[in-house]
Amino acid sequence: MSFFYLLEAFQTIFSDLSSLLFILMGVTAGIMVGCLPGLTATMGCALLIPFTFSLPPVQGLLMLMGIFTGGIYGGSISAILIRTPGTPAAAATLLDGHPLSMRGEAGKAIGIGTIASFVGGTIGALIMAFMAPQIAKFGLLFGPPEFFALAIFGLSMIISISGESLLKGAIAALIGLLITTIGFDPLSGVPRFTFNNENLLGGITFIPALIGMFGFAQVFRNIERMELVPQVKSKVGRLLPPFKEVRSLLPTMAKSGSMGAVTGSVPGLGCDIAAFIAYGEAKRTSKTPEKFGQGSLEGIAAPEAANNGATGGAMIPMLTLGVPGDAVTAVLLGALTIHGFQPGPLLFRDHLDVVYPIFAGMILCQLVLLIVGLSGARLFAKLINIDTRILTPVIFLLCIVGSYSMRFSFFDVGLALTIGVIAYFMGKAKFPVSPVLLALILGPMAEQNMRRSLMYSQDDLSIFVTRPISAAFLILAVIMVYSGYRRFKKIKEIEARMQTESQHQEG
Amino acid sequence: MKSNRIDLLTGIGLCLISLAVFIYAFEFSGRGVNSYGPNFFPQAIACLLFLASAGLIYQALKGHTTASIESINKAGFIKASVTLALAIIYVFAMNFVGFFIATIAFLYAVMFYLGQRKQIVLTITALSVASVIYGIFSVFLKIPLPEGIL
């Protein structure tokens, strides 16, 4: 059944060559954004959403997904060449990528990385195309109490994206939740926290908030960093790896790709964690584990296949339930909403004409990635050498124009700049920004569904625990927070032990 | 540098904000369909925020703060602030001289300030980037950019 729809979607995309062009543009732009350190896939999507406004929804989405795929892949190029991951997802790739590059085999490393990204990404996209409709079918059983519980479950994921301090992550999420209450209350029409400013009646709009948090704040950080870190230059060398080597790596790629897709589909885990998990697993099962960290080809194939596999996985909860898996999918969710589609189980019932082209597009993105990646790697590597004194002002300009273009409003530009300054200081005080973004999306979902449920149950709070699915999500949320906290404690303990040990050695 | 002092101040600030939100939110009540009206959610969040910030204050006072904060590089910070100021001037100037001219001037100024001194590079980049952005947004996407009063 879904296979038939998928074929039809391919036909739709191929019938209009401009769709392919948008995928090509998206992937290329994504790789460019990804391989430049300081520009993440999240930022790329945020900056390029305004470019998709006037496109037909499907084409706009195809382009954004291209940026997502390309961005996650592009990060590996700079990880291999200059030991700086262009995106957090490529952090595991530099462990083996950079040693190879030191030996003058950077080209081979990038080549393997590209093929692994293609294999992993395709597996991830296929898993998405066949799993998502099933999950959406299950989601059709959900009523307001279930969606409330799901939103709480999604918010409990914050524990895994909080970075160094759980408390600060929680505070960031709570601030995000408070921000979502600005503007008209959708259920009663009462304006809240608008301070009689008509620009705030509709609430804090998504795009300026996004560009502020991930665009402006990053630009400020990059400008500050110019004082500290000199730019590193890059070299590539021979590109295509011999076929025999690729063939021996195929099992690793396939396994890591599917692991990545599964990891990515758990909200909150995302592409970077998927890459590290796959790297660890590949090392554990490898015949030559001692080579890991010294420039092992498996050590590149595994994380690269996994992080691109995770892109497909992360799309599953976002599309089927409206719960984004990580920051980039949160941005994509925002983009879907802007184009007039509300992600969730109903999307699969009412808009199959959008859903299946998304699946087909995701698969095509991988193919385009392979072609563009292999033919253009040299060019992209040169991008890393672009003068940051030229690049930064251009990105700054794009942030300003991007925040203006949503509502043609200078208020939004000011808002984005303000949020950018706040986010910059939050980063300095180690308050993570991603929880705010997650809260912006899940906040309205939690509030409205909670109040709808309580209207339905006539103020009886037990409605959330007596319905099985809702109770299950709430229990999962508690388990998630608890296990996240335990894991966090453990990491802290290990860190503390390592510190005392090194002090002993010095003493 | 440990972040105790900053965490303490942030915690106190957030406590005050959550109190203010809690009290201010009483204004929204009365018109809800059920007893959980428009004030309920903000007030519930404000309570949680109060608790969390109290936790932050407690940690800071006991010296338990786990994360050390990033120190601010002074020269870099000044650079970022000046660039921000240039951006604010740019946004206001756009309304007077129009998008195109303001953008060229902005790009030129920021690149120059950040240390790019080659006139040819400055001129070509400013002109071409401004034209491309103007072309994409105004012509291709049909987003009305400010034309200015000139």
Side-chain angles (χ1 to χ4, degrees):
Chain A
M1 188 64 170
S2 46
F3 186 68
F4 173 73
Y5 283 127
L6 199 61
L7 279 182
E8 205 174 27
F10 273 115
Q11 225 165 23
T12 327
I13 292 180
F14 282 116
S15 65
D16 184 1
L17 281 179
S18 65
S19 305
L20 277 179
L21 188 72
F22 284 114
I23 293 181
L24 182 69
M25 274 164 42
V27 172
T28 314
I31 301 178
M32 285 161 68
V33 169
C35 74
L36 290 165
L39 308 186
T40 58
T42 318
M43 184 189 189
C45 285
L47 280 182
L48 291 169
I49 287 180
F51 288 92
T52 67
F53 285 160
S54 61
L55 297 178
V58 170
Q59 294 181 339
L61 286 167
L62 289 179
M63 191 159 138
L64 286 172
M65 284 182 330
I67 295 168
F68 186 17
T69 331
I72 297 293
Y73 156 74
S76 67
I77 299 180
S78 49
I80 291 168
L81 290 174
I82 59 169
R83 209 167 189 284
T84 311
T87 46
T93 311
L94 67 82
L95 297 175
D96 283 281
H98 194 250
L100 273 172
S101 154
M102 296 298 280
R103 272 192 250 148
E105 295 184 285
K108 194 174 174 187
I110 294 178
I112 297 273
T114 314
I115 297 169
S117 297
F118 164 72
V119 175
T122 311
I123 293 173
L126 284 172
I127 290 180
M128 165 174 96
F130 291 102
M131 282 298 291
Q134 315 307 324
I135 294 177
K137 224 178 267 168
F138 174 63
L140 277 176
L141 303 172
F142 290 13
E146 282 77 19
F147 275 111
F148 167 73
L150 185 64
I152 296 297
F153 173 65
L155 284 169
S156 73
M157 299 301 173
I158 283 165
I159 213 130
S160 56
I161 54 170
S162 287
E164 291 187 45
S165 161
L166 295 184
L167 191 59
K168 288 184 174 178
I171 289 177
L174 287 169
I175 293 173
L177 287 176
L178 270 185
I179 291 175
T180 63
T181 63
I182 295 174
F184 276 124
D185 167 34
L187 291 182
S188 64
V190 178
R192 300 188 289 189
F193 304 111
T194 53
F195 306 104
N196 295 327
N197 185 333
E198 60 183 58
N199 285 309
L200 286 175
L201 282 179
I204 300 274
T205 16
F206 187 67
I207 295 284
L210 196 63
I211 291 182
M213 284 189 288
F214 292 93
F216 282 127
Q218 190 62 44
V219 168
F220 296 147
R221 249 173 258 139
N222 290 353
I223 293 176
E224 190 191 343
R225 204 171 296 148
M226 273 182 210
E227 284 289 309
L228 300 171
V229 196
Q231 223 175 340
V232 192
K233 302 277 175 188
S234 67
K235 277 201 286 288
V236 181
R238 214 182 86 93
L239 199 61
L240 267 182
F243 178 70
K244 222 170 72 189
E245 278 179 5
V246 175
R247 200 177 51 189
S248 67
L249 289 171
L250 274 179
T252 314
M253 292 178 185
K255 194 173 93 180
S256 308
S258 10
M259 272 176 65
V262 175
T263 319
S265 69
V266 180
L269 288 187
C271 300
D272 36 350
I273 297 178
F276 274 107
I277 292 181
Y279 184 83
E281 174 64 18
K283 188 176 176 180
R284 198 179 64 81
T285 54
S286 169
K287 284 180 200 130
T288 51
E290 71 282 355
K291 277 195 189 158
F292 276 70
Q294 319 283 322
S296 157
L297 290 179
E298 281 175 276
I300 294 173
E304 275 309 297
N307 66 22
N308 272 68
T311 54
M315 301 277 287
I316 298 176
M318 186 275 275
L319 284 173
T320 56
L321 303 171
V323 177
D326 59 358
V328 195
T329 38
V331 177
L332 288 179
L333 192 149
L336 266 167
T337 322
I338 288 168
H339 280 288
F341 300 102
Q342 189 58 47
L346 293 182
L347 188 71
F348 283 74
R349 197 188 64 189
D350 304 336
H351 290 290
L352 282 180
D353 53 325
V354 176
V355 171
Y356 276 91
I358 289 181
F359 295 156
M362 199 73 187
I363 296 169
L364 285 176
C365 280
Q366 314 303 328
L367 203 65
V368 172
L369 177 81
L370 182 70
I371 298 166
V372 174
L374 285 181
S375 57
R378 242 169 255 284
L379 228 63
F380 295 122
K382 286 224 173 69
L383 269 182
I384 302 175
N385 300 338
I386 284 188
D387 192 345
T388 46
R389 289 169 302 189
I390 294 177
L391 188 67
T392 311
V394 175
I395 302 290
F396 203 164
L397 178 70
L398 278 177
C399 291
I400 295 174
V401 181
S403 46
Y404 168 82
S405 57
M406 171 90 203
R407 299 195 294 184
F408 318 139
S409 137
F410 282 106
F411 176 83
D412 283 353
V413 180
L415 186 68
L417 276 170
T418 316
I419 292 176
V421 172
I422 296 173
Y424 167 80
F425 283 110
M426 279 175 70
K428 286 285 173 196
K430 292 283 155 100
F431 281 92
V433 183
S434 302
V436 182
L437 178 65
L438 213 57
L440 283 183
I441 292 202
L442 294 174
M445 181 171 162
E447 178 181 13
Q448 290 171 35
N449 285 303
M450 180 197 71
R451 283 166 59 197
R452 280 208 191 98
S453 322
L454 290 173
M455 275 179 213
Y456 177 73
S457 74
Q458 293 172 337
D459 292 352
D460 183 4
L461 282 169
S462 69
I463 186 169
F464 298 116
V465 285
T466 47
R467 299 186 37 144
I469 300 176
S470 140
F473 275 125
L474 289 177
I475 292 169
L476 269 178
V478 174
I479 294 174
M480 209 67 197
V481 172
Y482 180 70
S483 69
Y485 180 73
R486 289 258 317 253
R487 198 172 51 214
F488 181 75
K489 278 272 167 197
K490 223 182 205 166
I491 293 172
K492 285 283 158 202
E493 262 171 36
I494 294 171
E495 273 177 7
R497 206 182 309 144
M498 276 163 70
Q499 244 174 13
T500 44
E501 268 171 27
S502 63
Q503 272 167 3
H504 273 297
Q505 277 167 0
E506 279 165 23
Chain B
M1 184 170 127
K2 278 285 179 185
S3 55
N4 286 344
R5 219 163 60 103
I6 291 174
D7 279 0
L8 183 67
L9 291 176
T10 322
I12 293 174
L14 287 172
C15 269
L16 293 176
I17 290 177
S18 55
L19 276 176
V21 167
F22 190 83
I23 295 166
Y24 191 76
F26 274 116
E27 278 186 27
F28 311 142
S29 60
R31 275 185 276 174
V33 187
N34 57 357
S35 42
Y36 299 92
N39 63 320
F40 176 73
F41 195 72
Q43 286 184 329
I45 300 295
C47 290
L48 289 176
L49 185 61
F50 186 83
L51 288 177
S53 356
L56 196 64
I57 295 175
Y58 174 76
Q59 276 193 351
L61 286 179
K62 284 198 74 180
H64 275 188
T65 320
T66 40
S68 57
I69 75 159
E70 246 177 84
S71 60
I72 290 179
N73 174 286
K74 208 174 161 200
F77 183 71
I78 293 172
K79 249 186 187 170
S81 313
V82 172
T83 320
L84 176 64
L86 285 173
I88 294 170
I89 297 171
Y90 161 63
V91 170
F92 279 102
M94 214 193 283
N95 287 309
F96 292 103
V97 297
F99 174 81
F100 196 64
I101 296 173
T103 304
I104 294 173
F106 170 73
L107 283 173
Y108 193 93
V110 177
M111 283 189 289
F112 186 82
Y113 178 68
L114 292 179
Q116 178 60 255
R117 289 289 186 273
K118 286 182 199 136
Q119 286 299 325
I120 297 185
V121 179
L122 284 169
T123 318
I124 293 179
T125 317
L127 272 176
S128 54
V129 171
S131 317
V132 169
I133 302 256
Y134 185 80
I136 291 178
F137 276 89
S138 188
V139 182
F140 180 60
L141 299 178
K142 303 204 171 44
I143 285 168
L145 293 166
E147 312 240 325
I149 48 173
L150 298 179

